[in-house]
Amino acid sequence: MRTYIGHQQAVSAEDFVELALGTPVELWLGAEGETGEERAARLDAARDILADPEYRSLPDDVARIAAEVIEAHAPELFNVVPLTRPARRRRSSRKGAAA
């Protein structure tokens, strides 16, 4: 089964996020090993996008998407299992016990 958003096919979770936001995720999160100059250019581009009236709702959209993901996956995210303490070993109270 194929999934399309508009005229674009979404193949992976990253595709869905990029198509939902209208920008690549790396623009906001960065890429591993980026230089200081690349980071500065990426942040400048991000500022320009946020200044565009078309993207003014982007922060709200991101918060909504994050909340939906948390809600959908809450059981897995919050599946906390209490750890049990190991039983304490009693010391021998016998006098003259070998050490």
Side-chain angles (χ1 to χ4, degrees), residues 5-96:
I5 298 176
H7 297 289
Q8 299 289 322
Q9 182 178 4
V11 178
S12 66
E14 290 81 15
D15 289 346
F16 279 105
V17 173
E18 184 172 335
L19 291 169
L21 298 176
T23 61
V25 175
E26 291 81 16
L27 176 67
W28 309 104
L29 301 179
E32 189 175 326
E34 74 181 356
T35 65
E37 188 174 292
E38 291 168 333
R39 182 176 190 274
R42 178 177 58 77
L43 293 176
D44 283 343
R47 280 187 209 92
D48 289 345
I49 288 172
L50 289 175
D52 187 328
E54 182 181 343
Y55 289 98
R56 291 259 164 99
S57 67
L58 187 60
D60 293 334
D61 293 342
V62 170
R64 179 184 46 76
I65 291 168
E68 289 172 0
V69 169
I70 290 169
E71 182 179 29
H73 297 285
E76 297 89 22
L77 292 172
F78 301 109
N79 186 14
V80 178
V81 178
L83 298 175
T84 58
R85 290 182 171 228
R88 286 184 156 187
R89 291 180 18 174
R90 291 186 159 181
R91 293 185 184 210
S92 175
S93 61
R94 295 184 308 168
K95 290 185 178 182

